[in-house]
Amino acid sequence: TSVLLCNSASRSGQSCDTVTCRDSLLFAKKTELCLEINVANISGLDDQNNETEMTDFKASVVAFEVQKNFANKFFSNKAVAKSLIDDTSGNLLDNLYKLLYVFTKNKKDSEKTTRNIIKIAIKIGMLQRGDKFSREEKANLVQIQKNLRTVAMTLISFYQVDHTYDRNFVIKYLTELETLLKNLISNHLTDKSVGRVEQIFGVVKTPEFLDSVYVPKKNSEMREIMGVVVSDLNCCLEAGIL
């Protein structure tokens, strides 16, 4: 900037002494430094905001709200009063939210997907406790639980054992799980709930999401969070939750 000022002054016939050039250089450097500090401060604020958005979601709070509202609408007995989301499940859902947030970079979308998972899980659990399923539907629920357990064990194995990731295998089982869930709830819940199932799987069974977790170096931050999710999945399997 100071050089341009000096050249401009020379072309117009004005003198440009050493002091003026030195002052101009000093001003330019101070301006540049201020800009760098401002950029650093803004970047730091963005990082803090992102960290806050990743940690301020609590699955247990959402689950309590969903269970309370659903119970008030459809149930009158105390058989469904006990919480359906324990600490182990809550930790898994909290970390799944973080995984989704890193993937989408969008708090609203990540919360929507996680809330939909909680809503569907809670409603199926309460329908089961309220003995609302037919004999055939109970058999379908057992198949869903087996399928879910297979998916969980597969996700763990693909993470822990190098070069075993098979995207098509995961998508196949997730697609089957989606179909089973929609068939189970279609006679008991609204089309809106069926849409929630479709929204969930419209995210988690996409190649981009799965590759971001399992393809080495594609997304190191997601890979790191997936390590925590895998630990949570193991805890759920050991506790018999999955």
Side-chain angles (χ1 to χ4, degrees):
T1 305
S2 59
V3 173
L4 289 174
L5 287 170
C6 292
N7 288 342
S8 176
S10 298
R11 284 195 298 269
S12 63
Q14 298 175 2
S15 61
C16 178
D17 55 37
T18 305
V19 175
T20 302
C21 286
R22 187 165 58 244
D23 289 344
S24 298
L25 281 169
L26 182 60
F27 176 78
K29 288 180 179 179
K30 285 182 177 180
T31 303
E32 184 178 357
L33 180 60
C34 288
L35 287 172
E36 289 176 355
I37 292 172
N38 287 335
V39 169
N41 288 338
I42 292 170
S43 177
L45 288 172
D46 287 341
D47 291 341
Q48 290 176 10
N49 290 337
N50 289 341
E51 185 175 351
T52 300
E53 289 182 348
M54 279 183 62
T55 57
D56 66 358
F57 180 87
K58 291 298 177 186
S60 58
V61 175
V62 176
F64 177 78
E65 294 172 354
V66 172
Q67 188 165 336
K68 181 180 178 181
N69 292 336
F70 192 62
N72 289 339
K73 289 180 181 178
F74 296 98
F75 298 94
S76 58
N77 59 58
K78 295 182 179 180
V80 293
K82 185 180 178 182
S83 176
L84 286 160
I85 299 292
D86 60 10
D87 291 341
T88 305
S89 303
N91 289 336
L92 173 60
L93 290 164
D94 287 342
N95 288 314
L96 179 59
Y97 163 77
K98 293 177 184 177
L99 192 69
L100 289 165
Y101 178 80
V102 172
F103 176 66
T104 63
K105 304 297 183 186
N106 187 297
K107 183 176 186 292
K108 183 178 179 180
D109 289 347
S110 305
E111 282 192 352
K112 179 181 179 180
T113 303
T114 312
R115 281 178 178 272
N116 283 344
I117 293 172
I118 293 170
K119 286 177 180 179
I120 296 301
I122 290 290
K123 289 179 180 180
I124 289 176
M126 294 185 75
L127 288 169
Q128 183 184 22
R129 283 189 183 179
D131 199 26
K132 300 295 183 180
F133 291 130
S134 66
R135 181 177 298 179
E136 182 181 354
E137 288 171 336
K138 288 177 181 177
N140 290 340
L141 182 58
V142 170
Q143 184 58 46
I144 287 171
Q145 291 167 335
K146 288 180 179 179
N147 189 296
L148 187 59
R149 186 176 179 87
T150 298
V151 169
M153 294 175 68
T154 300
L155 295 177
I156 292 169
S157 176
F158 285 171
Y159 181 84
Q160 294 179 336
V161 183
D162 293 338
H163 311 300
T164 58
Y165 169 53
D166 186 337
R167 181 208 295 159
N168 292 333
F169 182 86
V170 180
I171 291 176
K172 174 178 176 291
Y173 269 91
L174 288 174
T175 301
E176 290 178 2
L177 182 59
E178 178 183 5
T179 301
L180 288 168
L181 283 169
K182 290 193 313 188
N183 289 340
L184 178 69
I185 68 174
S186 60
N187 291 330
H188 300 276
L189 304 177
T190 64
D191 290 341
K192 190 174 182 179
S193 290
V194 175
R196 287 193 176 101
V197 174
E198 293 173 345
Q199 189 277 327
I200 293 165
F201 287 92
V203 177
V204 300
K205 74 175 185 180
T206 59
E208 181 65 22
F209 178 78
L210 294 170
D211 288 353
S212 295
V213 172
Y214 289 107
V215 174
K217 299 180 180 179
K218 183 174 178 64
N219 192 319
S220 59
E221 191 174 1
M222 284 186 69
R223 180 79 176 171
E224 182 179 351
I225 297 172
M226 186 61 188
V228 183
V229 171
V230 164
S231 177
D232 291 335
L233 286 171
N234 272 317
C235 290
C236 288
L237 288 169
E238 291 172 3
I241 298 169
L242 291 176

